[in-house]
Short mmCIF file of all heavy atoms in Angstrom, two decimals:
data_model
loop_
_atom_site.label_atom_id
_atom_site.label_comp_id
_atom_site.label_asym_id
_atom_site.label_seq_id
_atom_site.Cartn_x
_atom_site.Cartn_y
_atom_site.Cartn_z
N LEU A 665 3.68 6.24 9.67
CA LEU A 665 3.40 6.14 8.27
C LEU A 665 4.44 5.34 7.48
O LEU A 665 4.13 4.65 6.54
CB LEU A 665 3.24 7.47 7.64
CG LEU A 665 2.05 8.35 8.11
CD1 LEU A 665 2.01 9.73 7.32
CD2 LEU A 665 0.74 7.57 7.79
N VAL A 666 5.66 5.36 7.89
CA VAL A 666 6.76 4.60 7.32
C VAL A 666 6.40 3.08 7.38
O VAL A 666 6.46 2.42 6.32
CB VAL A 666 8.07 4.88 7.96
CG1 VAL A 666 9.16 3.86 7.51
CG2 VAL A 666 8.55 6.23 7.54
N LYS A 667 5.95 2.58 8.57
CA LYS A 667 5.55 1.23 8.70
C LYS A 667 4.34 0.82 7.83
O LYS A 667 4.33 -0.19 7.23
CB LYS A 667 5.23 0.98 10.18
CG LYS A 667 6.45 1.08 11.11
CD LYS A 667 6.05 1.02 12.56
CE LYS A 667 7.05 1.44 13.49
NZ LYS A 667 6.67 1.51 14.87
N VAL A 668 3.40 1.78 7.89
CA VAL A 668 2.16 1.46 7.03
C VAL A 668 2.41 1.53 5.67
O VAL A 668 2.02 0.64 4.84
CB VAL A 668 1.15 2.52 7.41
CG1 VAL A 668 -0.11 2.37 6.57
CG2 VAL A 668 0.71 2.46 8.91
N ALA A 669 3.25 2.50 5.13
CA ALA A 669 3.55 2.48 3.74
C ALA A 669 4.35 1.24 3.35
O ALA A 669 4.19 0.67 2.18
CB ALA A 669 4.38 3.69 3.42
N HIS A 670 5.13 0.76 4.19
CA HIS A 670 6.01 -0.47 3.84
C HIS A 670 4.98 -1.68 3.70
O HIS A 670 5.07 -2.45 2.73
CB HIS A 670 6.95 -0.71 5.03
CG HIS A 670 7.66 -2.06 4.82
ND1 HIS A 670 8.62 -2.18 3.95
CD2 HIS A 670 7.55 -3.26 5.41
CE1 HIS A 670 9.20 -3.42 3.93
NE2 HIS A 670 8.45 -4.08 4.93
N GLU A 671 4.00 -1.71 4.53
CA GLU A 671 3.10 -2.89 4.38
C GLU A 671 2.22 -2.63 3.19
O GLU A 671 1.88 -3.63 2.47
CB GLU A 671 2.21 -2.91 5.70
CG GLU A 671 1.26 -4.09 5.71
CD GLU A 671 2.00 -5.47 5.70
OE1 GLU A 671 3.03 -5.58 6.23
OE2 GLU A 671 1.44 -6.45 5.19
N LEU A 672 1.78 -1.41 2.87
CA LEU A 672 1.02 -1.22 1.62
C LEU A 672 1.78 -1.54 0.40
O LEU A 672 1.24 -2.03 -0.61
CB LEU A 672 0.68 0.26 1.53
CG LEU A 672 -0.47 0.75 2.48
CD1 LEU A 672 -0.65 2.18 2.50
CD2 LEU A 672 -1.87 0.04 2.19
N GLY A 673 3.12 -1.27 0.41
CA GLY A 673 4.04 -1.77 -0.59
C GLY A 673 4.08 -3.18 -0.76
O GLY A 673 4.01 -3.73 -1.86
N LYS A 674 4.25 -3.95 0.29
CA LYS A 674 4.30 -5.35 0.37
C LYS A 674 3.04 -5.95 -0.16
O LYS A 674 3.09 -7.01 -0.90
CB LYS A 674 4.61 -5.96 1.72
CG LYS A 674 6.07 -5.80 2.21
CD LYS A 674 6.41 -6.38 3.59
CE LYS A 674 5.51 -7.34 4.13
NZ LYS A 674 5.74 -7.69 5.49
N ALA A 675 1.88 -5.30 0.14
CA ALA A 675 0.59 -5.83 -0.35
C ALA A 675 0.40 -5.53 -1.82
O ALA A 675 -0.64 -6.00 -2.34
CB ALA A 675 -0.49 -5.26 0.64
N GLY A 676 1.23 -4.72 -2.41
CA GLY A 676 1.08 -4.33 -3.77
C GLY A 676 0.14 -3.21 -4.07
O GLY A 676 -0.23 -2.94 -5.25
N TYR A 677 -0.28 -2.39 -3.10
CA TYR A 677 -1.21 -1.23 -3.31
C TYR A 677 -0.47 0.10 -3.71
O TYR A 677 -0.93 0.86 -4.41
CB TYR A 677 -2.02 -0.91 -1.98
CG TYR A 677 -2.94 -2.00 -1.72
CD1 TYR A 677 -2.78 -2.79 -0.47
CD2 TYR A 677 -3.93 -2.40 -2.46
CE1 TYR A 677 -3.60 -3.71 -0.06
CE2 TYR A 677 -4.80 -3.43 -2.16
CZ TYR A 677 -4.62 -4.03 -0.92
OH TYR A 677 -5.51 -5.13 -0.54
N ILE A 678 0.80 0.07 -3.31
CA ILE A 678 1.62 1.29 -3.54
C ILE A 678 3.00 0.82 -4.11
O ILE A 678 3.46 -0.35 -3.80
CB ILE A 678 1.81 2.26 -2.48
CG1 ILE A 678 2.57 1.62 -1.29
CG2 ILE A 678 0.42 2.82 -2.02
CD1 ILE A 678 3.00 2.72 -0.24
N GLU A 679 3.63 1.64 -4.91
CA GLU A 679 5.13 1.50 -5.33
C GLU A 679 5.91 2.37 -4.55
O GLU A 679 5.56 3.50 -4.27
CB GLU A 679 5.19 1.80 -6.88
CG GLU A 679 4.37 0.89 -7.69
CD GLU A 679 4.37 1.30 -9.24
OE1 GLU A 679 4.84 2.44 -9.44
OE2 GLU A 679 4.04 0.45 -10.00
N THR A 680 7.01 1.92 -4.14
CA THR A 680 7.95 2.76 -3.30
C THR A 680 9.31 2.85 -4.03
O THR A 680 9.73 1.83 -4.60
CB THR A 680 8.25 2.13 -1.94
OG1 THR A 680 8.76 0.85 -2.12
CG2 THR A 680 6.93 1.96 -1.14
N VAL A 681 9.82 4.04 -4.11
CA VAL A 681 11.06 4.29 -4.77
C VAL A 681 12.03 4.98 -3.70
O VAL A 681 11.63 6.02 -3.13
CB VAL A 681 10.95 5.12 -6.00
CG1 VAL A 681 12.33 5.53 -6.61
CG2 VAL A 681 10.01 4.55 -6.97
N ARG A 682 13.14 4.32 -3.46
CA ARG A 682 14.05 4.96 -2.45
C ARG A 682 15.00 5.89 -3.11
O ARG A 682 15.23 5.88 -4.25
CB ARG A 682 14.82 3.76 -1.78
CG ARG A 682 13.93 2.81 -1.08
CD ARG A 682 14.77 1.68 -0.43
NE ARG A 682 14.40 1.71 0.98
CZ ARG A 682 15.03 1.29 1.96
NH1 ARG A 682 16.19 0.70 1.74
NH2 ARG A 682 14.55 1.31 3.21
N GLY A 683 15.66 6.61 -2.25
CA GLY A 683 16.76 7.57 -2.62
C GLY A 683 16.19 8.86 -3.15
O GLY A 683 15.04 9.26 -3.03
N ARG A 684 17.19 9.61 -3.75
CA ARG A 684 16.90 11.06 -4.23
C ARG A 684 15.88 10.94 -5.33
O ARG A 684 15.86 10.19 -6.17
CB ARG A 684 18.19 11.54 -4.76
CG ARG A 684 17.98 13.04 -5.18
CD ARG A 684 19.20 13.61 -5.88
NE ARG A 684 20.20 14.20 -5.09
CZ ARG A 684 20.07 15.32 -4.42
NH1 ARG A 684 18.95 15.84 -4.29
NH2 ARG A 684 21.06 15.78 -3.75
N GLY A 685 14.83 11.71 -5.13
CA GLY A 685 13.70 11.63 -6.08
C GLY A 685 12.74 10.55 -5.82
O GLY A 685 11.75 10.32 -6.59
N GLY A 686 12.94 9.82 -4.76
CA GLY A 686 11.99 8.76 -4.51
C GLY A 686 10.72 9.11 -3.88
O GLY A 686 10.47 10.38 -3.84
N GLY A 687 10.01 8.22 -3.44
CA GLY A 687 8.72 8.48 -2.86
C GLY A 687 7.80 7.38 -3.08
O GLY A 687 8.22 6.25 -3.45
N ILE A 688 6.50 7.53 -2.90
CA ILE A 688 5.48 6.55 -3.11
C ILE A 688 4.39 6.98 -4.02
O ILE A 688 4.15 8.19 -4.14
CB ILE A 688 4.98 6.04 -1.71
CG1 ILE A 688 4.25 7.20 -1.05
CG2 ILE A 688 6.00 5.44 -0.90
CD1 ILE A 688 3.56 6.75 0.33
N ARG A 689 3.76 6.08 -4.67
CA ARG A 689 2.60 6.30 -5.53
C ARG A 689 1.77 5.10 -5.58
O ARG A 689 2.23 3.98 -5.29
CB ARG A 689 3.07 6.79 -6.91
CG ARG A 689 3.76 5.70 -7.63
CD ARG A 689 4.16 6.31 -9.06
NE ARG A 689 5.11 5.30 -9.62
CZ ARG A 689 6.14 5.64 -10.39
NH1 ARG A 689 6.41 6.80 -10.67
NH2 ARG A 689 6.93 4.68 -10.92
N LEU A 690 0.54 5.21 -5.98
CA LEU A 690 -0.35 4.11 -6.21
C LEU A 690 0.27 3.10 -7.22
O LEU A 690 0.78 3.56 -8.29
CB LEU A 690 -1.73 4.53 -6.73
CG LEU A 690 -2.59 5.32 -5.69
CD1 LEU A 690 -3.85 5.81 -6.36
CD2 LEU A 690 -2.88 4.57 -4.49
N ALA A 691 0.09 1.94 -6.95
CA ALA A 691 0.57 0.87 -7.88
C ALA A 691 -0.48 0.46 -8.99
O ALA A 691 -0.16 -0.11 -9.92
CB ALA A 691 0.97 -0.44 -7.13
N HIS A 692 -1.73 0.93 -8.62
CA HIS A 692 -2.81 0.55 -9.48
C HIS A 692 -3.77 1.80 -9.56
O HIS A 692 -3.77 2.65 -8.73
CB HIS A 692 -3.71 -0.59 -9.02
CG HIS A 692 -2.88 -1.78 -8.61
ND1 HIS A 692 -2.47 -2.67 -9.57
CD2 HIS A 692 -2.37 -2.26 -7.41
CE1 HIS A 692 -1.69 -3.65 -9.00
NE2 HIS A 692 -1.71 -3.47 -7.74
N ALA A 693 -4.56 1.79 -10.61
CA ALA A 693 -5.62 2.87 -10.69
C ALA A 693 -6.47 2.82 -9.54
O ALA A 693 -6.79 1.69 -8.99
CB ALA A 693 -6.38 2.77 -12.00
N PRO A 694 -7.00 3.91 -9.01
CA PRO A 694 -7.96 3.93 -7.88
C PRO A 694 -9.15 3.00 -8.00
O PRO A 694 -9.55 2.34 -7.05
CB PRO A 694 -8.40 5.43 -7.75
CG PRO A 694 -7.19 6.10 -8.37
CD PRO A 694 -6.72 5.32 -9.48
N GLU A 695 -9.66 2.86 -9.22
CA GLU A 695 -10.79 2.05 -9.44
C GLU A 695 -10.49 0.52 -9.25
O GLU A 695 -11.31 -0.28 -9.12
CB GLU A 695 -11.48 2.26 -10.79
CG GLU A 695 -10.68 2.01 -11.88
CD GLU A 695 -9.93 3.30 -12.44
OE1 GLU A 695 -9.77 4.25 -11.74
OE2 GLU A 695 -9.41 3.24 -13.53
N ALA A 696 -9.20 0.12 -9.19
CA ALA A 696 -8.76 -1.24 -9.06
C ALA A 696 -8.41 -1.61 -7.60
O ALA A 696 -8.09 -2.67 -7.34
CB ALA A 696 -7.57 -1.42 -10.01
N ILE A 697 -8.56 -0.57 -6.71
CA ILE A 697 -8.29 -0.81 -5.37
C ILE A 697 -9.46 -0.96 -4.55
O ILE A 697 -10.17 0.02 -4.27
CB ILE A 697 -7.30 0.27 -4.83
CG1 ILE A 697 -5.96 0.32 -5.51
CG2 ILE A 697 -7.00 0.14 -3.19
CD1 ILE A 697 -5.05 1.48 -5.19
N ASN A 698 -9.78 -2.18 -4.05
CA ASN A 698 -11.02 -2.39 -3.30
C ASN A 698 -10.83 -2.17 -1.91
O ASN A 698 -9.93 -2.58 -1.20
CB ASN A 698 -11.44 -3.89 -3.55
CG ASN A 698 -12.77 -4.19 -2.85
OD1 ASN A 698 -12.78 -4.59 -1.66
ND2 ASN A 698 -13.86 -4.00 -3.58
N ILE A 699 -11.78 -1.40 -1.30
CA ILE A 699 -11.65 -0.97 0.17
C ILE A 699 -11.78 -2.11 1.02
O ILE A 699 -11.10 -2.28 2.04
CB ILE A 699 -12.60 0.18 0.42
CG1 ILE A 699 -12.45 1.43 -0.45
CG2 ILE A 699 -12.70 0.60 1.90
CD1 ILE A 699 -10.98 1.97 -0.39
N GLY A 700 -12.79 -2.99 0.82
CA GLY A 700 -12.93 -4.19 1.69
C GLY A 700 -11.66 -4.98 1.68
O GLY A 700 -11.26 -5.42 2.76
N GLU A 701 -11.03 -5.26 0.56
CA GLU A 701 -9.77 -5.99 0.46
C GLU A 701 -8.72 -5.25 1.26
O GLU A 701 -7.99 -5.95 2.02
CB GLU A 701 -9.40 -6.13 -0.98
CG GLU A 701 -8.13 -6.85 -1.16
CD GLU A 701 -7.72 -6.91 -2.65
OE1 GLU A 701 -8.61 -7.35 -3.49
OE2 GLU A 701 -6.65 -6.44 -3.00
N VAL A 702 -8.63 -4.02 1.12
CA VAL A 702 -7.56 -3.29 1.89
C VAL A 702 -7.71 -3.37 3.42
O VAL A 702 -6.77 -3.77 4.06
CB VAL A 702 -7.58 -1.83 1.53
CG1 VAL A 702 -6.59 -0.91 2.47
CG2 VAL A 702 -7.21 -1.54 0.04
N ILE A 703 -8.87 -3.30 3.83
CA ILE A 703 -9.26 -3.43 5.26
C ILE A 703 -8.95 -4.83 5.76
O ILE A 703 -8.30 -4.94 6.81
CB ILE A 703 -10.69 -2.96 5.59
CG1 ILE A 703 -10.76 -1.42 5.39
CG2 ILE A 703 -11.13 -3.42 6.97
CD1 ILE A 703 -12.16 -0.80 5.48
N ARG A 704 -9.35 -5.79 5.03
CA ARG A 704 -9.08 -7.12 5.45
C ARG A 704 -7.56 -7.39 5.52
O ARG A 704 -7.12 -8.13 6.43
CB ARG A 704 -9.67 -8.14 4.42
CG ARG A 704 -11.13 -8.37 4.62
CD ARG A 704 -11.59 -9.50 3.57
NE ARG A 704 -13.02 -9.63 3.62
CZ ARG A 704 -13.84 -8.89 2.98
NH1 ARG A 704 -13.48 -7.94 2.11
NH2 ARG A 704 -15.23 -9.14 3.05
N ARG A 705 -6.75 -6.82 4.63
CA ARG A 705 -5.38 -7.03 4.53
C ARG A 705 -4.62 -6.32 5.71
O ARG A 705 -3.67 -6.85 6.31
CB ARG A 705 -4.79 -6.53 3.24
CG ARG A 705 -3.37 -6.59 3.08
CD ARG A 705 -2.85 -8.01 2.97
NE ARG A 705 -1.41 -8.10 2.93
CZ ARG A 705 -0.69 -8.53 1.84
NH1 ARG A 705 -1.30 -8.97 0.78
NH2 ARG A 705 0.59 -8.66 1.97
N MET A 706 -5.16 -5.11 6.03
CA MET A 706 -4.50 -4.32 7.04
C MET A 706 -4.83 -4.57 8.44
O MET A 706 -4.08 -4.28 9.39
CB MET A 706 -4.69 -2.77 6.70
CG MET A 706 -4.04 -2.32 5.41
SD MET A 706 -2.31 -2.69 5.45
CE MET A 706 -2.07 -3.07 3.74
N GLU A 707 -6.11 -5.12 8.72
CA GLU A 707 -6.55 -5.34 10.06
C GLU A 707 -5.80 -6.68 10.56
O GLU A 707 -5.70 -7.59 9.78
CB GLU A 707 -8.03 -5.57 10.16
CG GLU A 707 -8.81 -4.35 10.19
CD GLU A 707 -8.59 -3.45 11.42
OE1 GLU A 707 -8.72 -3.94 12.53
OE2 GLU A 707 -8.36 -2.22 11.22
N ASP A 708 -5.38 -6.70 11.71
CA ASP A 708 -4.76 -7.93 12.27
C ASP A 708 -5.70 -9.01 12.69
O ASP A 708 -5.38 -10.14 12.58
CB ASP A 708 -3.74 -7.57 13.32
CG ASP A 708 -4.35 -6.85 14.57
OD1 ASP A 708 -5.50 -6.49 14.46
OD2 ASP A 708 -3.67 -6.63 15.53
N ASP A 709 -6.88 -8.66 13.03
CA ASP A 709 -8.01 -9.69 13.26
C ASP A 709 -9.28 -8.97 13.33
O ASP A 709 -9.42 -7.76 13.33
CB ASP A 709 -7.67 -10.43 14.61
CG ASP A 709 -7.85 -9.57 15.81
OD1 ASP A 709 -8.99 -9.05 16.02
OD2 ASP A 709 -6.85 -9.45 16.57
#
């Protein structure tokens, strides 16, 4: 999950905050995240 979250952050789907009180959250509202786009971005081929 660490690797996947890193890639989701690089792709702009989530925001990551390091350190105490850190964590991850959506970078956009759920209605702005297209499933087809996510799948194209995450699949290697």
Side-chain angles (χ1 to χ4, degrees):
L665 290 182
V666 167
K667 295 173 192 170
V668 173
H670 176 74
E671 187 62 33
L672 286 170
K674 282 181 18 184
Y677 296 116
I678 65 172
E679 295 174 346
T680 60
V681 178
R682 298 182 126 199
R684 185 186 271 298
I688 60 175
R689 64 180 170 216
L690 292 178
H692 307 283
E695 60 270 13
I697 299 175
N698 181 273
I699 299 304
E701 180 185 303
V702 171
I703 289 173
R704 282 183 185 86
R705 177 72 187 243
M706 295 301 145
E707 281 294 309
D708 54 354
D709 68 59

